[in-house]
């Protein structure tokens, strides 16, 4: 297990409790802890009846399901299997003929501040028209489509349009490199890519289409028959004859009506690649019925969504948060939401607060990294402090993606929530599809730094290495004991890896989250202590250490060996530190700096800028046991600048520790 970060340690002494106000409780959908307990009791008593009731109440089924859970082939659980529905119909068509029809679905704010809005009815027309365009380009039900797009209304339209025709989308974050894109296209066997010529971020025009071209040109992407290019900016881009078409040309002449393809509840709605313990990212496959149920339900439970709310989740559609809480959840729940193209620091670090004021945002959902960087900015410059904007429209705040340190929580609570908005610290993962452990705003007393309690129906627990429950107060492995509808179905094309990664035999068939956690002795509240595998969390972005190591050693002319570890970082949560052995002698001084830069750029090309190591140390070799195993525990200590107090007698080459530490 990796050691907890310093920010986590400070939570150990956390004893502040924030009760929801009587007014919040009274207005809430799940009103008070008694209501929460009652739902948990219902779920405990008969889980299948509980989920069946919710699935019937919250989704529109073309063909109702008769079997709730099929557990005959564990851990390949199937939910609502014989039911049929369409995800896009459940987000759009369901609202037609209701007051939501003419409600604004998306308020889009571009990087430069320009605002465009679209109603539910208009969005349905756009999605249908683009769905017809996809069909006209030969995309069929069951095909995979890679989406490599900026945050735009069209990004959401592209995802919904795939869902509408029963194609499985795989969104790749716009910050990933050509190589990363190529690997995902290949693994998914995608037939089409939907992209934009450029994306605008922080006033800069960044290429997307050129990266798509580069990725496809790397080879092995023969499955791609068409590339649809949104003209996001005026700058021209390369278009390949016969393969590429602009968004405008693709939709020209297409009808704005397209009957939704009804698919089985288990039909893969999407595959989203995320990092694991090996060098190769895994395609997390989600279902249609179970995923959508949880996307809608958590909007109603965790965010206690009201018809008049203005919801803003700042996540990019390239991540799971942007899937569940931008592309699907808000629409399935009939919310009006803000979609933002830009970055929180452009043109100034008060942009988020300014946008909350401008659009009268009532629910604001962001990541601890963003909060920490905005705290730093506000402390350095009064002019970008949230106090300069009117934030009275806010009623609820959320946090996602990493542990939020109590200091950041308190700042968020005071300076953004004005001590009146509950903060929901939502713990979940790409694999869980939606929130699994989180406070409910009108019920749960809040403790800074704690994601508090599991949602009803989520049987989360902390166990030891044999799968036995540990008492409150003792740390252990976070598991979910029973299946739930929005859980990962498999790893695309690799069912064996799915079983091995998430359902190891020693854990009694429980779902292994990959995080360490501890429950408080008094309330039984969960606190996540960080990943227990080789996965890092940098600025809320999940990165595999092996993935970065593979990228480094792929620089075969220079690198002999590499080991990557995480180090706690005040701003980004964790920072990437790489220990590298070169094929030539160990560089020092300016030369070491130049080679480190070269390697950083290389990793940026291999994976994407988010994977660039913050710190690269060179050594003559790496600390290894006599059997050749790299001792990462020691490397983590060195990366943190800690003295080595552990027994190093099993090391093949103890002297290397001093060399790597010297480099500090
Ligand atoms: O380590 C946990 C951390 O993020 C991991 C999941 O990353 P990803 O699949 O990219 O999904 C991020 C968005 C849901 C988890 O294994 N994590 C996520 N939320 C929290 C968290 N750690 C602590 N507190 C959270 N609220």
């Amino acid at each position: 297990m990796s050691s907890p970060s310093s920010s986590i340690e400070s939570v150990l002494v956390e004893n502040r409790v924030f009760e929801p106000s009587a007014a919040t409780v009274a207005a809430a959908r799940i009103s008070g802890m008694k209501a929460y307990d009652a739902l948990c009791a219902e779920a405990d008593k008969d889980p299948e009846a509980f989920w069946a009731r919710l699935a019937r109440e919250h989704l529109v089924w073309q063909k109702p399901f008769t079997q709730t859970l099929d557990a005959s082939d564990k851990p390949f659980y199937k939910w609502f299997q014989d039911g049929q529905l369409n995800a896009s119909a459940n987000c759009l068509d369901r609202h037609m003929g209701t007051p939501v029809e003419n409600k604004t679905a998306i308020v889009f704010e571009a990087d430069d501040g320009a605002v465009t809005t679209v109603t539910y009815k208009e969005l349905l027309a756009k999605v249908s028209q683009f769905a017809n365009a996809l069909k006209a380009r030969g995309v069929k039900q069951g095909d995979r489509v890679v989406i490599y797009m900026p945050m735009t209304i069209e990004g959401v339209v592209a995802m919904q349009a795939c869902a509408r025709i029963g194609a499985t989308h795989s969104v790749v974050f716009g910050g990933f490199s050509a190589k990363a894109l190529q690997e995902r296209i290949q693994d998914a066997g995608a037939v089409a890519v939907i992209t934009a010529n450029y994306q605008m971020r922080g006033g800069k025009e960044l290429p997307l289409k050129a990266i798509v071209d580069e990725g496809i040109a790397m080879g092995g992407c023969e499955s791609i028959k068409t590339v649809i290019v949104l003209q996001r900016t005026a700058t021209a881009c390369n278009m390949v004859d016969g393969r590429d078409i602009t968004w405008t040309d693709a939709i020209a002449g297409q009808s704005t009506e397209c009957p939704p393809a009804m698919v089985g509840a288990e039909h893969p709605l999407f595959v989203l690649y995320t990092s694991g313990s090996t060098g190769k990212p895994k395609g997390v496959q989600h279902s249609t019925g179970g995923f959508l149920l949880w996307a809608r339900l958590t909007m109603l439970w965790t965010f206690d969504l009201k018809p008049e709310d203005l919801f803003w989740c700042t996540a990019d559609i390239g991540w799971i948060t942007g899937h569940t809480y931008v592309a699907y959840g808000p629409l399935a729940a009939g919310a009006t939401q803000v979609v933002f193209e830009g970055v929180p620091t452009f043109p100034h670090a008060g942009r988020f607060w300014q946008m909350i004021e401008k659009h009268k945002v009532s629910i604001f959902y962001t990541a601890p990294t963003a909060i920490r960087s905005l705290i730093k900015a506000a402390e350095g410059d009064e002019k970008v402090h949230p106090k300069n904007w009117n934030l009275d429209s806010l009623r609820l705040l959320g946090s996602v993606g990493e542990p939020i340190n109590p200091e950041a929580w308190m700042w968020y609570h005071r300076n953004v929530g004005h001590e009146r908005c509950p903060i929901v610290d939502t713990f979940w993962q790409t694999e869980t599809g939606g929130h699994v452990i989180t406070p409910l705003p009108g019920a749960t007393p809040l403790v800074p730094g704690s994601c508090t309690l599991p949602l009803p129906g989520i049987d989360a627990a902390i166990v030891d290495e044999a799968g036995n429950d540990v008492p409150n107060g003792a740390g252990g492995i976070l598991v979910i004991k029973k299946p739930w509808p929005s859980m990962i179905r498999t790893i695309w094309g690799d069912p064996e890896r799915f079983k091995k990664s998430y359902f190891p035999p020693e854990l009694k068939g429980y779902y292994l989250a990959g995080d360490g956690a501890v429950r408080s002795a008094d309330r039984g509240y969960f606190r996540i202590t960080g990943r227990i595998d080789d996965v890092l969390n940098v600025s809320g972005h999940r990165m595999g250490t092996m993935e970065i190591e593979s990228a480094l050693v792929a620089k075969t002319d220079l690198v002999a060996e590499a080991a990557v570890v995480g180090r706690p970082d005040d701003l980004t949560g964790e920072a990437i530190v790489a220990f590298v052995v070169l094929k030539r002698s160990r560089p020092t001084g300016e030369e070491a700096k130049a080679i480190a830069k070269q390697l950083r750029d290389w990793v940026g090309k291999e994976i994407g800028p988010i994977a660039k190591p913050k710190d690269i140390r060179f050594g003559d070799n790496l600390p290894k046991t006599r059997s050749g195993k790299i001792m990462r525990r020691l490397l983590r200590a060195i990366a943190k600048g800690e003295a080595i107090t552990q027994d190093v007698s099993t090391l093949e080459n103890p002297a290397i520790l001093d060399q790597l530490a010297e480099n500090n």
Side-chain angles (χ1 to χ4, degrees):
M1 263 192 206
S2 60
S3 56
S5 68
S6 55
S7 61
I8 294 295
E9 274 152 18
S10 65
V11 189
L12 290 174
V13 296
E14 185 57 61
N15 50 20
R16 289 169 285 205
V17 179
F18 298 83
E19 299 278 347
S21 72
T24 307
V25 175
R29 191 172 273 107
I30 299 180
S31 174
M33 285 307 276
K34 276 212 178 103
Y36 164 77
D37 290 339
L39 276 169
C40 292
E42 182 192 344
D44 269 356
K45 192 165 150 249
D46 187 346
E48 285 193 44
F50 172 77
W51 291 117
R53 171 177 78 76
L54 293 168
R56 289 194 184 104
E57 279 174 21
H58 288 275
L59 296 180
V60 183
W61 295 91
Q62 167 81 5
K63 177 172 170 272
F65 57 92
T66 59
Q67 187 185 14
T68 305
L69 172 65
D70 174 357
S72 59
D73 183 22
K74 290 175 190 168
F76 299 94
Y77 296 100
K78 296 181 184 73
W79 289 90
F80 321 120
Q81 197 187 178
D82 60 343
Q84 284 197 343
L85 77 171
N86 178 279
S88 148
N90 266 278
C91 292
L92 301 169
D93 307 56
R94 73 182 299 159
H95 303 303
M96 297 306 115
T98 78
V100 177
E101 180 178 274
N102 292 312
K103 186 177 171 177
T104 300
I106 297 176
V107 178
F108 172 67
E109 179 158 325
D111 190 58
D112 66 2
V115 173
T116 320
T117 63
V118 58
T119 66
Y120 272 88
K121 202 174 182 174
E122 290 162 349
L123 190 60
L124 173 58
K126 278 182 190 289
V127 168
S128 300
Q129 191 175 35
F130 192 68
N132 285 326
L134 286 175
K135 285 203 263 188
R137 300 294 292 175
V139 181
K140 295 184 302 296
Q141 182 164 335
D143 284 345
R144 272 82 54 212
V145 174
V146 162
I147 299 178
Y148 188 63
M149 289 190 81
M151 287 295 282
T152 42
I153 291 175
E154 288 81 359
V156 176
V157 168
M159 293 167 80
Q160 286 280 341
C162 287
R164 195 160 189 89
I165 64 170
T168 299
H169 60 69
S170 185
V171 186
V172 178
F173 175 59
F176 278 116
S177 68
K179 176 93 185 303
L181 185 64
Q182 176 222 22
E183 285 167 0
R184 286 156 175 77
I185 289 173
Q186 275 180 346
D187 191 80
V191 302
V193 178
I194 308 170
T195 188
N197 60 339
Y198 286 86
Q199 61 178 336
M200 291 302 301
R201 281 176 77 79
K204 291 198 202 85
E205 194 179 35
L206 306 171
L208 284 176
K209 175 59 168 51
I211 296 173
V212 172
D213 287 350
E214 198 187 328
I216 294 177
M218 285 174 170
C221 298
E222 291 71 28
S223 57
I224 296 293
K225 300 288 178 274
T226 185
V227 178
I228 304 181
V229 187
L230 174 73
Q231 201 73 30
R232 180 67 197 106
T233 67
T235 315
C237 68
N238 176 51
M239 296 291 280
V240 176
D241 260 359
R243 185 195 73 184
D244 302 354
I245 185 170
T246 65
W247 183 287
T248 316
D249 287 347
I251 60 170
Q254 295 297 340
S255 161
T256 53
E257 278 176 33
C258 171
M262 292 301 162
V263 298
E266 281 296 316
H267 178 74
L269 179 60
F270 64 87
V271 171
L272 181 59
Y273 287 84
T274 191
S275 298
S277 308
T278 72
K280 195 168 161 270
K282 41 194 181 187
V284 172
Q285 179 180 322
H286 276 287
S287 70
T288 300
F291 171 81
L292 210 63
L293 171 64
W294 208 226
R296 177 176 148 95
L297 211 52
T298 46
M299 284 299 298
L300 302 179
W301 284 359
T302 312
F303 297 120
D304 196 25
L305 187 82
K306 304 279 165 41
E308 60 281 7
D309 271 319
L310 203 289
F311 178 78
W312 182 17
C313 165
T314 66
D316 193 283
I317 51 167
W319 308 114
I320 189 67
T321 311
H323 280 60
T324 316
Y325 300 108
V326 177
Y328 290 103
L331 299 176
T336 299
Q337 69 170 324
V338 173
V339 170
F340 177 43
E341 179 180 41
V343 297
T345 47
F346 176 82
H348 54 75
R351 180 78 183 262
F352 274 4
W353 324 129
Q354 185 181 32
M355 282 180 62
I356 291 170
E357 176 185 284
K358 176 169 162 189
H359 301 295
K360 300 201 166 45
V361 171
S362 60
I363 305 174
F364 180 63
Y365 189 39
T366 197
T369 288
I371 298 166
R372 287 192 297 263
S373 78
L374 298 179
I375 295 175
K376 197 170 164 213
E379 282 172 353
D381 179 4
E382 282 269 296
K383 289 200 294 298
V384 296
H385 194 282
K387 70 184 175 198
N388 297 296
W389 288 276
N390 182 345
L391 305 181
D392 289 350
S393 58
L394 288 172
R395 68 168 189 83
L396 179 61
L397 302 175
S399 172
V400 58
E402 349 150 42
I404 179 164
N405 46 310
E407 298 72 26
W409 196 101
M410 286 307 299
W411 187 92
Y412 197 31
H413 174 66
R414 289 199 182 108
N415 297 290
V416 184
H418 297 167
E419 299 185 9
R420 92 194 133 66
C421 303
I423 298 178
V424 287
D425 175 1
T426 60
F427 169 82
W428 60 296
Q429 313 173 293
T430 305
E431 293 88 344
T432 67
H435 308 149
V436 284
I437 309 181
T438 175
L440 296 171
T444 322
L446 305 172
V447 172
S450 167
C451 52
T452 74
L453 296 170
L455 283 171
I458 303 295
D459 193 6
I462 302 177
V463 299
D464 62 20
E465 271 154 24
N468 299 313
D469 285 335
V470 301
N472 287 356
I477 301 169
L478 178 65
V479 296
I480 302 179
K481 291 184 172 177
K482 290 194 204 94
W484 69 103
S486 70
M487 68 195 293
I488 173 176
R489 290 307 193 262
T490 188
I491 292 174
W492 182 262
D494 201 348
E496 274 311 306
R497 189 175 174 196
F498 165 72
K499 276 209 268 197
K500 237 172 84 191
S501 310
Y502 301 109
F503 297 91
E506 63 276 17
L507 289 186
K508 301 182 177 173
Y510 302 157
Y511 166 80
L512 170 69
D515 281 287
V518 57
R519 300 185 74 158
S520 64
D522 51 351
R523 295 169 181 270
Y525 275 11
F526 286 74
R527 182 165 53 75
I528 307 299
T529 51
R531 300 286 308 194
I532 52 172
D533 52 10
D534 296 315
V535 170
L536 304 181
N537 197 325
V538 183
S539 298
H541 299 152
R542 197 165 142 179
M543 293 301 326
T545 53
M546 308 267 216
E547 211 177 324
I548 306 168
E549 285 166 12
S550 308
L552 283 166
V553 296
K555 181 106 185 89
T556 48
D557 56 331
L558 199 58
V559 178
E561 241 185 326
V564 169
V565 298
R567 170 178 77 202
D569 185 282
D570 283 347
L571 213 56
T572 57
E574 272 186 301
I576 302 167
V577 181
F579 294 90
V580 175
V581 181
L582 295 181
K583 285 188 170 163
R584 37 149 291 174
S585 62
R586 182 169 74 100
T588 53
E590 287 307 311
E591 199 190 5
K593 274 192 201 145
I595 297 179
K597 181 176 181 308
Q598 196 186 344
L599 290 180
R600 227 174 262 128
D601 291 345
W602 170 265
V603 173
K605 278 235 151 253
E606 286 285 296
I607 306 175
I610 51 171
K612 287 185 181 180
K614 184 162 182 183
D615 192 358
I616 296 186
R617 312 266 186 101
F618 298 103
D620 291 328
N621 46 44
L622 297 171
K624 286 184 189 161
T625 60
R626 291 205 176 90
S627 58
K629 197 169 172 286
I630 297 175
M631 305 226 8
R632 288 162 194 285
R633 193 166 43 83
L634 297 176
L635 290 176
R636 275 194 285 269
I638 294 173
K640 275 204 230 174
E642 283 175 3
I644 307 282
T645 51
Q646 297 106 313
D647 176 17
V648 295
S649 57
T650 56
L651 269 191
E652 172 78 36
N653 49 353
I656 192 64
L657 298 177
D658 292 333
Q659 186 186 74
L660 294 170
E662 238 174 59
N663 238 329
N664 216 345

